[in-house]
Amino acid sequence: MARRTRPVLGERGAALVEFAVLLPLLVLLTFGIIEFGIAFNDFISVRNGTREGARLGVVDDVKNAPSCPISSVLRSPPAIPTNSTDATNALICKTKSRIGLDASQIKVKVSFAGTQTVGDNLTICASYPVSSLSGQVLGNGTVTSRVTMRLEQVPNPTFVAFAESGGGC
């Protein structure tokens, strides 16, 4: 005959208390992983888009750029830029388009070393604010990417150095 054991009265509800203690930690860990994934995805988008924008600049492929906000003003570069300002705006808009995030939040800086001849450096720097969904796990910050490439052909027209205010570059 099997003997029945009775639970000790002092341990009733212990599992529920342990679960209540661990649940906030598990929720915090889960949301932390989700928020880190979102921030890392934004970083990858900024990094790849900045690299593609720099590549377009060094091969002088700034034709047919989309419209984009530059310093909070919507700019529509002409299909074929004819002056340095239009060429720089087209390069910035193409970079923002390649990044693929909220273009009004992306800040781009264009700079170069030399006189813009073959072999000189073109630098594109882009930054994008990343905010935490809860505001507690990751906090708020900015992801930044700076890419420098050598000019493969002389841009026609040349670019002008430009930096949007408020960027992290």
Side-chain angles (χ1 to χ4, degrees):
M1 193 175 208
R3 218 168 116 194
R4 293 170 69 180
T5 60
R6 292 186 344 181
V8 179
L9 294 177
E11 293 187 19
R12 290 179 71 171
L16 183 61
V17 170
E18 291 171 0
F19 179 73
V21 169
L22 290 177
L23 182 63
L25 296 174
L26 291 174
V27 169
L28 186 65
L29 179 66
T30 302
F31 281 108
I33 291 170
I34 292 169
E35 288 188 2
F36 178 79
I38 292 169
F40 191 68
N41 183 54
D42 290 348
F43 171 74
I44 290 171
S45 296
V46 169
R47 181 72 182 156
N48 289 339
T50 304
R51 187 179 62 244
E52 289 181 32
R55 180 72 184 145
L56 292 172
V58 299
V59 298
D60 193 28
D61 183 13
V62 294
K63 295 180 179 88
N64 300 317
S67 298
C68 73
I70 300 175
S71 296
S72 301
V73 177
L74 185 64
R75 306 281 182 182
S76 298
I80 300 175
T82 57
N83 61 50
S84 295
T85 302
D86 287 342
T88 304
N89 287 343
L91 179 60
I92 291 170
C93 286
K94 279 201 163 194
T95 300
K96 287 184 176 192
S97 172
R98 294 299 198 267
I99 290 173
L101 299 172
D102 181 7
S104 66
Q105 298 293 315
I106 301 168
K107 304 299 181 193
V108 177
K109 177 181 179 183
V110 176
S111 60
F112 48 88
T115 58
Q116 297 189 38
T117 58
V118 174
D120 288 344
N121 288 334
L122 171 69
T123 301
I124 304 285
C125 182
S127 61
Y128 183 77
V130 177
S131 60
S132 176
L133 297 175
S134 67
Q136 302 297 320
V137 179
L138 291 178
N140 297 327
T142 303
V143 293
T144 303
S145 177
R146 178 185 313 267
V147 177
T148 300
M149 291 186 179
R150 291 174 39 141
L151 289 174
E152 294 183 13
Q153 66 187 62
V154 178
N156 185 19
T158 59
F159 303 116
V160 293
F162 179 81
E164 287 186 273
S165 62
C169 299

